[in-house]
Amino acid sequence: MKYVAAAIICLSLLAPTAMADEFTAELKLRGPQDVPILRKLDISVDSIRNNIASAYLNDKEERALEAAGIDVKRTLDEAFWDLDKNGLAKGYHNPETCEEALKAWAQEHSEVCKLIQIGTSVKGRAIWALKISTNAQVHDFKPMVRFCGAHHGNEIASSETVLMFTKYILDNYETDERIGNIVKNVEMWLIPMVNPDGVAKRSRYNANYKDLNRNYGYRFRPGWKAGTPYSEPETRAFRDHAANIPFSLSLSFHCSGDLVNYVWNYTTVRCPDQDLIFGLSEGYASFNEYEVTQGADWYAINGDTNDWAYGCSGCLDSTIEIANPSYSGINKVFERNKEPMLYYCEQVQKGICGVVTNEEGVPLKAFVEAIPPRWPTFSHPEGGDFHRVLLPGTYKLRVWAPGHAEKIIENITVSDGAATRVDVTLEKSAGTYHALQLCEIVVPRNSSNTTHGPHVLGPPDSVFCSLGDGGHLVVDLSDEFPTGTGAKITIHDEPSADENAESYQLLTSKSQDGPWEKIGQGTGTATIEVAKVERYLKVADKSKEFKRTTTPGLDLESITVVRRSAVQTKGFQELHQK
């Protein structure tokens, strides 16, 4: 929940808590000076409007806020007015009945369904994803769209809406031509319960008491019960599923309100795809009269799903805030969102699509950047196909894959109809690699930083990302990178961004979650010889003072890794052992 309707009903004396010691609340702030108090007390805040913060508290936090002079008023979502014997909202699916429904649908409609477990929660509950598409058991040349719910377990209507949409598609694809065409031409993935433990205990948080929608790794900041980037098994499962499925569009459902919330959430700076994502949001809202806003325009957060999906995966992901009614009201909520969800399934078929292969015709996982807006998407690791949603216009594509030379395709015309197909063949460039995908970026304190993480990807191109003073990023060299051998790593520091050359450390790991091994350090643009390098690299800025600037810390343009042969690596290691 990131938005709470102005007309929310308050039952401050009579309402039971959402679970023992947990409840939603409105906080009356005296002004902006109270916001640091909320962060210091690690209060989980959804929104701040007109000095009223909507938050999720426990009894201890309520007492601490009152001691700090902040008024607290308890509130209660309508979904929890009527509870069953287990203390859950009557009528709604719980994790067990959700699993039963998904398995039954997958079995009944096996020709268009594929059900997979993408991970396990803290308490051992399965996290399920259902694929709906013709030829569902194999990968096909189709754009991919994702619908997910219940990052916050108390927002039960978000999960139910995804389940109702799933049933609607399966009930109608054989008889409704429009829905049949969507199932034929689009690969839909539905993840109704990202946080099954939270649903089971009627809590915003997972079982580690962490807010999953603050736990993702793009522009992460500590606080707000965020944990550390991807510290929770639920967010790791969601992240790892997306690593192999390059979604073009995605919708993340939350409660409570009537709102379309698009990127960015961490800054009021407009994203490179501003015109496109605003148009998609307005299109969604045209069906149900929801309010449309960029997330940070009304309340900034860090580590959320939208920013991570766009910043790390190139997927245009938006939050849809819906009401959280008692079960008798859920049909009305679904009907308001059914048509715009179908609209998204149709919009994902526009733009530019194609297949990236090598000279032998083997599909490649590649970096595919449309210019404008100069923002990447990625081809499928199995099929090599990419699908980039774009507005009508003329574009060029910059395409690159590990171990292959970059290729530029000019003057591609995109209409408002079906996607323009552009297949790409890349030539090999043995031994030279660059960062393929951004995994994580932590930029502390530097709110003025206007640069973007994905600008470090691929060969040098004169655009860059500033890491911030003491910040770091993690990149993936790809599973094609021959690990364990030595290499020369060149860090390209953009000289025009800052008159000072900043210092940094290089670390490597077999996993993007670590553990990390330090392999070198440098200052400014430098080539560093290392004894070995694994698939993942971390670049950590070592600046010692805070500078409020739009380009703080190391201004990283690109990373070039030239691999040594096994014989050269052995000689290098023996030399350094003497």
Side-chain angles (χ1 to χ4, degrees):
M1 177 175 65
K2 202 181 165 217
Y3 173 80
V4 176
I8 192 166
I9 299 174
C10 300
L11 303 174
S12 57
L13 295 178
L14 300 178
T17 59
M19 195 67 179
D21 205 33
E22 294 182 13
F23 54 90
T24 53
E26 290 182 347
L27 315 180
K28 186 176 181 180
L29 307 182
R30 292 160 293 193
Q33 68 272 18
D34 280 345
V35 175
I37 297 175
L38 304 182
R39 182 174 286 277
K40 183 177 180 180
L41 293 175
D42 201 21
I43 303 300
S44 190
V45 177
D46 288 326
S47 67
I48 301 177
R49 283 188 172 184
N50 300 320
N51 287 328
I52 299 295
S54 298
Y56 199 68
L57 308 176
N58 59 36
D59 292 339
K60 181 179 179 181
E61 291 164 340
E62 180 182 33
R63 291 192 295 270
L65 287 167
E66 290 174 341
I70 296 175
D71 290 337
V72 178
K73 180 187 292 185
R74 296 192 180 204
T75 63
L76 181 69
D77 277 345
E78 185 184 330
F80 303 116
W81 288 1
D82 189 16
L83 305 181
D84 62 22
K85 63 181 181 180
N86 297 313
L88 301 177
K90 280 187 178 179
Y92 284 100
H93 284 83
N94 59 41
E96 290 71 33
T97 58
C98 174
E99 179 176 332
E100 291 170 3
L102 291 173
K103 287 181 175 179
W105 294 334
Q107 183 176 7
E108 183 179 354
H109 302 278
S110 58
E111 70 281 4
V112 296
C113 286
K114 180 179 180 180
L115 181 64
I116 65 171
Q117 182 179 341
I118 64 172
T120 305
S121 70
V122 174
K123 293 293 187 180
R125 292 184 172 91
I127 302 170
W128 296 101
L130 182 69
K131 173 184 174 181
I132 300 180
S133 188
T134 53
N135 302 318
Q137 304 308 315
V138 298
H139 175 67
D140 237 343
F141 183 88
K142 297 173 184 175
M144 287 145 278
V145 62
R146 176 181 59 208
F147 301 97
C148 69
H151 265 85
H152 295 146
N154 62 318
E155 298 171 14
I156 191 64
S158 68
S159 171
E160 203 69 21
T161 297
V162 176
L163 286 168
M164 294 177 77
F165 185 69
T166 304
K167 187 175 187 303
Y168 176 77
I169 293 292
L170 295 176
D171 284 348
N172 291 280
Y173 75 94
E174 292 181 304
T175 57
D176 186 298
E177 183 179 2
R178 180 190 183 194
I179 298 172
N181 284 333
I182 289 172
V183 172
K184 179 181 177 181
N185 297 310
V186 175
E187 185 174 303
M188 288 176 281
W189 283 89
L190 303 110
I191 309 174
M193 282 189 190
V194 179
N195 181 11
D197 291 349
V199 173
K201 67 189 183 81
R202 200 155 41 90
S203 172
R204 176 186 181 88
Y205 311 113
N206 74 345
N208 284 337
Y209 205 60
K210 294 296 184 288
D211 189 330
L212 299 183
N213 206 39
R214 307 292 186 270
N215 191 241
Y216 290 93
Y218 192 83
R219 297 284 175 166
F220 177 89
R221 283 188 68 187
W224 314 117
K225 297 183 177 64
T228 57
Y230 313 115
S231 61
E232 304 311 301
E234 297 89 352
T235 49
R236 291 196 299 272
F238 200 79
R239 174 199 69 186
D240 294 347
H241 181 246
N244 295 313
I245 302 176
F247 294 104
S248 299
L249 296 180
S250 177
L251 293 176
S252 302
F253 287 86
H254 285 258
C255 307
S256 209
D258 298 330
L259 185 78
V260 182
N261 179 118
Y262 62 87
V263 295
W264 298 109
N265 290 300
Y266 81 92
T267 178
T268 56
V269 172
R270 275 16 188 182
C271 78
D273 277 290
Q274 168 67 19
D275 290 344
L276 172 61
I277 190 62
F278 180 75
L280 287 168
S281 301
E282 287 277 290
Y284 192 101
S286 69
F287 293 94
N288 52 24
E289 299 183 341
Y290 279 14
E291 180 184 352
V292 174
T293 184
Q294 178 174 330
D297 277 353
W298 60 285
Y299 181 62
I301 62 172
N302 294 78
D304 75 291
T305 318
N306 304 152
D307 289 1
W308 158 79
Y310 184 60
C312 292
S313 301
C315 169
L316 285 162
D317 183 87
S318 293
T319 289
I320 307 299
E321 296 281 358
I322 60 177
N324 205 25
S326 59
Y327 191 71
S328 62
I330 190 61
N331 282 329
K332 182 179 179 180
V333 173
F334 172 63
E335 287 299 326
R336 292 190 72 186
N337 288 276
K338 178 183 68 180
E339 285 298 319
M341 293 170 79
L342 293 173
Y343 162 81
Y344 253 62
C345 291
E346 292 169 335
Q347 294 301 306
V348 77
Q349 302 175 55
K350 299 182 177 182
I352 300 176
C353 65
V355 176
V356 183
T357 60
N358 65 16
E359 294 168 295
E360 289 76 43
V362 177
L364 298 173
K365 179 171 182 178
F367 165 99
V368 182
E369 184 178 63
I371 305 173
R374 202 160 201 158
W375 200 262
T377 188
F378 302 90
S379 60
H380 196 284
E382 182 180 337
D385 54 304
F386 67 92
H387 307 266
R388 183 40 157 114
V389 180
L390 292 165
L391 292 170
T394 301
Y395 299 86
K396 68 178 178 180
L397 287 182
R398 175 176 173 240
V399 186
W400 166 84
H404 294 77
E406 178 182 86
K407 191 168 188 176
I408 305 292
I409 301 96
E410 305 269 3
N411 298 317
I412 303 168
T413 301
V414 172
S415 71
D416 192 39
T420 301
R421 179 153 182 170
V422 180
D423 293 336
V424 183
T425 301
L426 297 181
E427 298 178 359
K428 288 186 177 180
S429 177
T432 300
Y433 295 81
H434 303 280
L436 174 64
Q437 196 157 359
L438 180 68
C439 303
E440 171 183 321
I441 181 167
V442 177
V443 183
R445 301 179 297 172
N446 304 108
S447 59
S448 301
N449 190 337
T450 58
T451 64
H452 300 301
H455 287 163
V456 308
L457 302 178
D461 61 352
S462 299
V463 294
F464 61 91
C465 173
S466 299
L467 298 194
D469 305 312
H472 74 259
L473 60 72
V474 175
V475 295
D476 181 4
L477 298 174
S478 93
D479 58 1
E480 297 294 324
F481 181 77
T483 62
T485 60
K488 291 183 178 181
I489 301 176
T490 300
I491 298 298
H492 301 269
D493 181 17
E494 173 53 47
S496 65
D498 196 319
E499 60 183 14
N500 299 315
E502 286 88 0
S503 299
Y504 49 85
Q505 282 188 346
L506 288 180
L507 304 96
T508 193
S509 176
K510 295 179 180 179
S511 165
Q512 71 179 85
D513 300 312
W516 295 96
E517 177 183 353
K518 181 182 175 182
I519 56 173
Q521 60 187 17
T523 300
T525 297
T527 298
I528 304 159
E529 290 207 36
V530 300
K532 71 171 183 177
V533 60
E534 303 294 351
R535 174 174 175 175
Y536 296 94
L537 281 178
K538 177 187 282 190
V539 183
D541 179 88
K542 302 306 290 182
S543 302
K544 295 183 178 179
E545 60 178 300
F546 169 66
K547 299 183 289 294
R548 188 170 294 280
T549 169
T550 57
T551 58
L554 174 68
D555 304 310
L556 183 58
E557 177 188 353
S558 181
I559 302 169
T560 300
V561 181
V562 179
R563 185 177 67 90
R564 287 195 299 267
S565 69
V567 174
Q568 292 173 317
T569 297
K570 182 178 179 182
F572 180 86
Q573 291 172 336
E574 290 175 347
L575 177 65
H576 281 259
Q577 288 171 354
K578 294 179 179 179

